[in-house]
Amino acid sequence: MDAPLDRAPAGALATWSGLNCSVLFCDVAGFGDPSRDDDDRRVVRDVTYGVLLSALDASGVASADLYREDRGDGALVVVSPAVPTASLVDPLAGHLAAALRGHNYRASHAVRVQLRVALHVGPVIPDAEGLGGQVIIQTARLLEAPVLKTALAASGADLGFIVSPFVYDAFVAHLHGPIDPRAFERVSVTVKETTTDAWMYLAGAGDRPAAPAPRSPDGDGPNGATIFSGDVQVRGDLVLGDKIIHER
């Protein structure tokens, strides 16, 4: 596992107190699935933190601008107000999706990682045990949105990314990079005492390798056709149907 990226220095947290920070919650879907054993969950945690920390670094977020709390099946990450929130959508979501796709393409079901990520912005309040504030609660509610969980399960996507209306209106709607704002879907969220709108983005849906096509009983394709997949080189002759050879 990557070296833990623990809490930011106390002085940094005090400096951020009351300021609008970007708040990321992430969670592994199905982390406690009975089909996983403890070794599987250790691999999943290693992969999750490796993907998350690498994506943050690739997005230009320095370790000094991060505060992280482990949540067992995920993490709470608070980012300094000095870091543009837009960068936590694009390129961060793209880096997360690409890394998850690379892992999941070869991973067995038990160690596949589907990641839910929620992003909101607001003032944070540090205390002796960590951080508090309404923004922490609201971001946690977005992460637990039933619509996000259902969409991730139904689509088989690698990444489900959900943002608050403020984040969408202030940052996502103005993106001009690889992530198209129109790829976000407006959804309704009701979790506990929270009812709000949000914007959801799925990445990796439908990208699983296709299963091989079944062979017909006669060993050829349907109706006697010969079917090729991928690059094919044929040497000699290829005859479809009956081939008559005259011998002398």
Side-chain angles (χ1 to χ4, degrees), residues 139-162:
T139 311
R141 299 294 183 262
L142 292 178
L143 187 71
E144 294 301 315
V147 66
L148 177 62
K149 293 181 178 182
T150 299
L152 196 64
S155 67
D158 299 313
L159 175 68
F161 200 92
I162 191 167

Side-chain angles (χ1 to χ4, degrees), residues 47-137:
V47 170
T48 300
Y49 273 110
V51 165
L52 178 61
L53 297 181
S54 295
L56 286 164
D57 182 66
S59 301
V61 183
S63 59
D65 289 323
L66 292 174
Y67 170 94
R68 176 171 63 82
E69 292 180 3
D70 179 64
R71 295 300 172 101
D73 58 355
L76 162 64
V77 177
V78 178
V79 182
S80 163
V83 176
T85 299
S87 66
L88 300 178
V89 181
D90 192 358
L92 180 68
H95 288 310
L96 288 173
L100 289 169
R101 176 185 170 87
H103 168 74
N104 289 336
Y105 189 82
R106 297 174 176 83
S108 67
H109 175 76
V111 295
R112 183 171 177 238
V113 179
Q114 282 185 292
L115 199 62
R116 302 198 317 272
V117 178
L119 174 62
H120 193 19
V121 173
V124 297
I125 304 169
D127 58 29
E129 300 302 323
L131 287 174
Q134 184 66 18
V135 66
I136 305 293
I137 297 172

Side-chain angles (χ1 to χ4, degrees), residues 201-212:
Y201 168 76
L202 301 179
D207 288 344
R208 302 278 68 76

Side-chain angles (χ1 to χ4, degrees), residues 45 138 188 191 243:
R45 277 175 54 84
Q138 290 295 106
S188 296
V191 178
K243 181 176 181 181

